[in-house]
Each structure stands twice: as C-alpha cells, then as structure tokens.
Amino acid sequence: MCSHVEEDSEVRRGPWTTEEDALLTHYIDHHGAGRWIMLAKCAGLKRTGKSCRLRWLNYINPHVKRGDLTLEEQLLILELHSQWGNRWSKIAEHLPGRTDNAIKNYWLTRVQKQTCSASHSRDMSPRIPECVVPSSSTFPGSFAAEFVNISEEIDRFSQHQSSLNVHDQVRNGSYGVGGSGHGTETMAVSGEGCCWICDEMTDGLWQCGALEEMGNFV
DNA sequence: AAGTCAGACAACCGCGGTAGG
DNA sequence: TCCTACCGCGGTTGTCTGACT
C-alpha cells in the first residue's frame, strides 16, 4: 500500500518548500486527503501528519480563496463572531474558500487591533459610542428618525448578503445598521458598544474610535 | 543603502473529542 | 471500560516583507 515509507525519523519543520508542496499535492491528487500521518510517510514527506493537513487546508487546497477579504466577508465575520465568538472553524463554514486560520489572522491583526486602539483612547466603562448619537450637523433629524431608516439599509445589505440574519440581531437589540447619509458608508453598531463603518469607496471596514482618532469621523 | 519596526500570515503546539481495538 | 491513535480546533509563535527613518 505504501511504498515510500521513510526510515529516517527526522522531522522537518518551518516553511514548506515548493518540492514538499509538489509531493503533497501529487500524493493527494492520486490518493485523496485524510489519514494524514500515513499520508506524510507514504508521500515521502519528513513532516508530521498535522503539518501536512495544515498545509493542505490552509494553502495548497485549490478551493482556498486568497487575497483580501471583501467588504461582505468582513461584515459577515463581524456578525458571525458576535454570534459564535472565537469559533473560527464555525465562522469559516459560512465563508466558502476562507480558512479558519485566515479568518483568525484577519481578526487578530485587523479587527482586534482596531478595537484595542479605540478602547485605549477612552475609559473602559460601558457606553453608547458617540458615533451612534447623531449630532445636529452630521445627522439631521432625531435619533429615532435615524433608526427608522435602518430597515432600508439592512435591505441594501441583504441584497448582497442573503445569508445574513442582521434583521434578527437588530430586532433583538444586539446589532444595528444605519446610513450615514452620504451614500457611500453604512454604519453597523453591535450591542457591546462597538461601532463599525463600511466604506464602499475603499471597500473597508472601520471602527468608529479609530476613525475618530484619525480625524475622519466627527 | 542599511537598519529598524510593524503588519500580515504561515506554521507549530497543546488540548479535547472520537473511533477502533 | 480502558487505552491508543488520530483528527480538528484554538491559541501562540515564527518568519517574511514592506514601510519608514
């Protein structure tokens, strides 16, 4: 069954080489994925089964989508994280082609960092973020009136993201989405005092506090 | 041009769950 | 029921690369 068992017990670590990638790809093409410990031996790789599995799932697998996360994906991650917490594999199930590792990295390097920098600039007490309270200049009309338009904004999002259940979260008070009135941004507010701006121009997701610090949001 | 730093992401480690003997 | 091997997940660390001085 396995004609390529290496006697050498030395285990390689660190970055994968193109030769190793080729060996792994070739073996999986012919025998399929799974049985990783056996696979590692039979493919002639001086790697652990775990390492092979990780390399396949996170990098070599042709279904893995690479490159920047889209605005829709970023929003979806936000929503799913509020629902599942750090259950990265669970979150990844809803983002075809994205791996749990990639989502985790995205969250830790982008989202969490922004949240931290924003919270450090203020006291840590729970509060309604300033950005959801409309000032007369930036949010004409009453606070209530602003939220009347939320459903329209959600519908806009739903056109792009039929899988989102933002409607439900807004109803139960854990999530809010409202338009800024400028046509290119949409605001999402979590129930934990966290506020996000989706900028369709830059295809990015901004945390209110971070934006305020940058002077772009008053 | 060289050195330093920070961000992004790939890879490893440890733990818990599960299936099979 | 216990033991062992294996798998998958989440947290953490390591490495690379580009920006900045």
Side-chain angles (χ1 to χ4, degrees):
Chain A
M1 51 177 256
C2 178
S3 60
H4 208 292
V5 178
E6 287 281 342
E7 292 302 319
D8 191 350
S9 60
E10 178 197 357
V11 176
R12 254 188 66 81
R13 295 164 74 165
W16 280 64
T17 64
T18 51
E19 288 78 15
E20 287 177 314
D21 282 346
L23 278 174
L24 184 59
T25 304
H26 183 262
Y27 187 90
I28 290 176
D29 280 348
H30 287 81
H31 301 92
R35 312 271 306 175
W36 295 105
I37 294 174
M38 174 97 75
L39 183 154
K41 289 175 183 169
C42 293
L45 290 160
K46 293 174 181 176
R47 297 274 182 174
T48 65
K50 275 180 143 182
S51 182
C52 293
R53 173 183 165 271
L54 212 60
R55 184 64 179 172
W56 171 254
L57 291 179
N58 291 334
Y59 196 86
I60 298 176
N61 188 336
H63 294 113
V64 170
K65 211 191 284 181
R66 312 188 68 75
D68 291 341
L69 290 156
T70 65
L71 180 59
E72 285 77 15
E73 287 173 322
Q74 293 176 47
L75 265 183
L76 189 53
I77 290 170
L78 264 183
E79 193 220 348
L80 292 170
H81 188 271
S82 72
Q83 190 175 339
W84 294 102
N86 292 0
R87 300 285 302 279
W88 306 115
S89 59
K90 203 79 184 174
I91 294 171
E93 285 175 13
H94 295 81
L95 288 133
R98 300 296 185 181
T99 66
D100 55 350
N101 208 32
I103 293 168
K104 178 171 58 181
N105 281 331
Y106 164 73
W107 185 267
L108 293 177
T109 58
R110 322 283 230 288
V111 181
Q112 206 167 71
K113 194 162 291 179
Q114 265 189 23
T115 304
C116 284
S117 68
S119 65
H120 276 295
S121 67
R122 296 182 171 74
D123 63 66
M124 302 299 285
S125 58
R127 71 198 179 284
I128 299 173
E130 292 87 338
C131 52
V132 305
V133 181
S135 68
S136 58
S137 58
T138 52
F139 293 94
S142 70
F143 186 72
E146 191 63 38
F147 273 77
V148 166
N149 292 324
I150 287 174
S151 287
E152 294 172 16
E153 297 299 327
I154 297 167
D155 286 339
R156 273 181 52 209
F157 263 88
S158 297
Q159 288 173 5
H160 302 291
Q161 302 167 258
S162 56
S163 64
L164 271 182
N165 62 344
V166 177
H167 270 292
D168 292 335
Q169 292 202 40
V170 170
R171 282 195 204 97
N172 68 27
S174 67
Y175 210 87
V177 179
S180 70
H182 296 96
T184 57
E185 307 96 5
T186 295
M187 188 164 72
V189 184
S190 82
E192 294 160 357
C194 202
C195 170
W196 302 88
I197 303 291
C198 313
D199 188 335
E200 292 171 7
M201 298 296 287
T202 61
D203 203 29
L205 203 55
W206 299 87
Q207 216 259 4
C208 277
L211 281 175
E212 286 178 72
E213 286 175 355
M214 292 163 61
N216 292 341
F217 190 85
V218 181

